Amino acid sequence: MNWRIAEAKQRFSKLIHSVTKEPQLIYNRNELVAVVVEAEMFEDFLTWRKQREKFSLADAFKELRQIAAEEDYILEIPSRQDRAGSP
């Protein structure tokens, strides 16, 4: 459900109870300014964000090397060649 800020303040209890059905969107002058969600959904989001921030490109390559080693796979990388026009 969509709420205006003033309405959300006046009917705060209903806003909180409505969260169990779906996230509640709060608008100020037709601009979305906040979303109220269940605590469990927010916890899931925080876990997802923390995992996403931790995983870097270096981590991805490390995982790829580990998988290749476990599968006894040798990744053949062709030798570098300069492109035409390069010094």
Side-chain angles (χ1 to χ4, degrees):
M1 178 173 179
N2 297 341
W3 300 80
R4 292 184 313 265
I5 290 177
E7 181 184 18
K9 288 188 334 187
Q10 290 173 352
R11 302 178 67 199
F12 186 73
S13 181
K14 180 167 175 40
L15 170 79
I16 296 302
H17 291 304
S18 298
V19 168
T20 60
K21 296 177 188 141
E22 64 183 347
Q24 302 298 299
L25 310 177
I26 302 176
Y27 288 84
N28 184 26
R29 297 188 178 119
N30 296 323
E31 181 180 338
L32 181 64
V33 293
V35 178
V36 182
V37 297
E38 286 184 293
E40 184 178 338
M41 182 182 286
F42 183 67
E43 300 256 341
D44 291 345
F45 167 74
L46 290 177
T47 300
W48 170 82
R49 188 173 76 175
K50 189 174 182 180
Q51 289 172 345
R52 185 172 167 242
E53 288 175 356
K54 286 183 178 179
F55 200 73
S56 68
L57 184 58
D59 295 329
F61 279 116
K62 181 180 178 182
E63 183 178 338
L64 181 59
R65 283 192 298 273
Q66 182 178 356
I67 292 170
E70 289 171 1
E71 298 292 325
D72 199 27
Y73 180 81
I74 298 173
L75 181 62
E76 295 185 26
I77 302 172
S79 60
R80 284 185 61 147
Q81 297 178 356
D82 289 333
R83 291 182 272 173
S86 297

